[in-house]
């Protein structure tokens, strides 16, 4: 019997039963108050008079009135760049020991997002919440003795002056608690390898030495790693190498587009658990089975606000108009898309993280990521969000019995001068492009009334081209890098799409 695993499982069950369920609104008010108190003497806090906000009768309302919205460019241009000029106490006390490098999904230029000791503590606490939530899943005691494969970016961080830089997954992994290191794979030596293909090769070579019970990482890169391990050992599925694999903690993007592809890699059922760890913080986690929704973490150094995701409130670059209304947890509605704003212990204030979400269960405070503010396809009024696109692609997978883990779409004029949506679908399965286009068009018409109206007017139709999914990974390798936190953009403007088509159609 797995005695040690039974003890751990019992402790987790006990902790979960003893941990009181906080009152969400009160938790969030307390978080905001603590954020303002701690930062009131920073340059940012003095500029926006945090002391006056703290004395206001309605702190939340005063905060929303006095502090404007910030996207990364505005926050960096006006405040965060001062850290690199040697200043301290800019938007959070002291100087951040780390900066998370994020290329995001929309360009080559990297963002450098402060990561404070308070944020590392917040991420650690969220990780403990995630482990505690496992008590809600039907997992055997011996699962808690197995090793965890955390496939992130390199932990070999780069020293820049008085701080270190790397992707958030690498920063987090380089700060894992000592007691967890014996469970953590691929281990410190392999995790430090910066070059993705070399790191995955080492993982494949060592895979049989490990007893992996859980995986953690972004789906697109996790899929590639699992395929490499399967190929290297010449087996038919990953459970022939890791027979005790039972859990996959997915993150960064919606898992549904990858579901069929992963099912082909499993030898037995695996519990997929969604998480929401961004460069700016650990925001939400799935705490119960039977759903892909994640519960917002409301008592852990991050204050949330929500702006209705409507075209009139979104600028072309994905930022918000100054008159965009903001809602709190009591005012949101289920199944409505919102732009997510966060204020954090890393000194991000009313920060547009770039994701759109919807509440699937307001009472439980559970959400789904529905897309990106820049991935909103509204040329000629089609108003397509990524979640609608994901749903339509999943319909194609079911209808044609194929796997489509990746796609990209753009709106542009065809040779006849009319507007079309041009889709590239990543699949190795055989399917007729014209039939796929017709089915995709019909699915989107059924799911989105604005799209249906656009199709009856200025949007002429849909064109589909299937390509090898590896093309998407190679595009990322050329434009950003492989692995880590890198995600493929789903929607491109005409200029970027022109580059994409040249890349896809270049001679072999």
């Amino acid at each position: 019997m797995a005695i040690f695993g039974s003890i751990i499982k019992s402790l987790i069950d006990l902790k979960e039963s003893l941990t009181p369920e906080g009152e969400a609104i009160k938790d969030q008010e307390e978080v905001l108050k603590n954020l303002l108190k701690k930062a009131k003497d920073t340059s940012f806090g003095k500029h926006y008079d945090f002391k006056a906000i703290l004395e206001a009768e309605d702190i939340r309302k005063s905060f929303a009135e006095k502090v404007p919205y910030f996207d990364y460019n505005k926050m960096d241009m006006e405040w965060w760049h001062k850290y690199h000029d040697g200043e301290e106490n800019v938007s959070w006390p002291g100087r951040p020991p780390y900066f998370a490098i994020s290329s995001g999904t929309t360009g080559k230029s990297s963002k450098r997002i402060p990561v404070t000791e308070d944020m590392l503590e917040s991420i650690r606490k969220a990780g403990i919440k995630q482990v505690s939530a496992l008590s809600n899943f039907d997992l055997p005691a011996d699962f808690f003795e197995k090793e965890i494969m955390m496939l992130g970016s390199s932990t070999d961080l780069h020293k820049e002056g008085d701080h270190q830089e790397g992707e958030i997954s690498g920063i987090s992994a380089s700060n894992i608690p000592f007691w967890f290191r014996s469970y953590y794979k691929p281990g410190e030596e392999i995790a430090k390898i910066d070059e993705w293909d070399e790191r995955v090769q080492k993982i494949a070579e060592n895979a049989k030495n490990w007893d992996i019970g859980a995986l953690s990482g972004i789906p697109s890169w996790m899929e590639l790693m699992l395929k490499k391990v399967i190929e290297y050992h010449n087996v038919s599925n990953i459970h022939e190498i890791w027979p005790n694999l039972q859990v996959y903690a997915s993150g960064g993007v919606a898992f549904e587009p990858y579901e069929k592809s992963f099912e082909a890699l499993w030898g037995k059922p695996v519990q997929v658990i969604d998480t929401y760890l961004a460069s700016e913080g650990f925001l939400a986690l799935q705490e119960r089975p039977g759903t892909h929704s994640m519960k917002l973490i409301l008592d852990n150094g991050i204050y949330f606000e929500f702006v209705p995701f409507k075209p009139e409130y979104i600028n072309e670059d994905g930022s918000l108009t100054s008159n965009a209304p903001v809602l709190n947890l009591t005012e949101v509605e289920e199944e409505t898309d919102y732009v997510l704003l966060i204020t954090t212990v890393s000194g991000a204030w009313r920060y547009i993280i770039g994701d759109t979400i919807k509440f699937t269960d307001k009472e439980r405070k559970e959400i789904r990521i529905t897309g990106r503010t820049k991935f909103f396809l509204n040329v000629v009024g089609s108003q397509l969000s990524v979640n609608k696109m994901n749903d339509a692609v999943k319909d194609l997978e079911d209808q044609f019995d194929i796997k489509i883990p990746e796609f990209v779409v753009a709106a542009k004029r065809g040779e006849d001068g009319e507007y079309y949506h041009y889709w590239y679908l990543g699949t190795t399965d055989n399917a007729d492009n014209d039939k796929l286009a017709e089915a995709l068009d019909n699915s989107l018409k059924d799911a989105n009334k604005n799209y249906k109206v656009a199709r009856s007017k200025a949007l002429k139709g849909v064109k589909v081209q299937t390509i090898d999914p590896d093309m998407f990974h190679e595009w990322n390798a050329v434009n950003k890098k492989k692995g880590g936190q890198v995600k493929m953009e789903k929607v491109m403007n005409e200029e970027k799409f022109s580059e994409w088509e040249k890349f896809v159609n270049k001679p072999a």
Side-chain angles (χ1 to χ4, degrees), residues 175-379:
N175 281 276
I176 59 174
F178 73 92
W179 54 266
F180 182 67
R181 287 175 188 165
S182 61
Y183 293 93
Y184 164 63
K185 296 299 177 223
E188 293 180 62
E189 187 176 334
I190 295 175
K192 283 185 176 180
I193 299 173
D194 189 50
E195 210 280 313
W196 161 260
D197 291 322
E198 183 184 346
R199 192 167 0 127
V200 170
Q201 177 65 28
K202 288 291 184 184
I203 290 172
E205 291 171 4
N206 287 273
K208 280 199 169 180
N209 301 326
W210 304 325
D211 187 7
I212 302 297
L215 304 170
S216 174
I218 288 177
S220 54
W221 304 112
M222 183 63 70
E223 181 188 359
L224 280 185
M225 184 275 286
L226 293 175
K227 284 181 175 178
K228 181 67 176 178
V229 173
I230 290 168
E231 175 191 357
Y232 181 84
H233 293 281
N234 194 27
V235 295
S236 59
N237 64 71
I238 196 62
H239 280 99
E240 292 185 48
I241 304 298
W242 296 327
N244 295 308
L245 174 61
Q246 297 182 66
V247 170
Y248 169 37
S250 173
V253 295
F255 180 71
E256 285 90 335
Y258 301 92
E259 202 161 3
K260 273 183 174 283
S261 298
F262 273 79
E263 284 173 0
L265 304 177
W266 307 140
K268 59 181 84 168
V270 170
Q271 173 68 58
V272 178
I273 299 175
D274 282 290
T275 61
Y276 191 179
L277 171 61
S279 297
E280 295 83 358
F282 201 148
L283 308 182
L285 57 90
Q286 181 184 337
E287 67 166 14
R288 62 190 179 94
T291 179
H292 279 300
S293 296
M294 299 172 288
K295 184 172 184 175
L296 287 172
I297 304 174
L298 300 170
D299 59 353
N300 194 30
I302 299 176
Y303 176 70
F304 297 94
E305 296 173 279
F306 313 92
V307 173
F309 186 42
K310 296 183 177 180
E312 59 265 35
Y313 303 141
I314 313 295
N315 295 316
E316 192 173 338
D317 64 357
S319 62
L320 295 173
T321 61
S322 58
N323 67 332
V326 68
L327 307 177
N328 65 19
L329 281 171
T330 63
E331 299 164 324
V332 295
E333 297 178 355
E334 292 182 2
E335 301 300 325
T336 299
D337 282 0
Y338 295 101
V339 178
L340 184 62
L341 299 183
I342 59 172
T343 293
T344 79
V345 288
S346 270
W349 297 95
R350 308 200 77 208
Y351 183 90
I352 307 162
I353 196 169
D355 290 327
T356 59
I357 60 100
K358 68 176 180 180
F359 281 83
T360 54
D361 190 319
K362 183 177 174 180
E363 186 177 347
R364 284 192 168 106
K365 307 300 182 287
E366 288 181 343
I367 64 162
R368 296 292 311 279
I369 302 171
T370 58
R372 299 281 292 171
T373 55
K374 292 183 180 180
F375 291 176
F376 187 51
L377 191 57
N378 195 32
V379 177

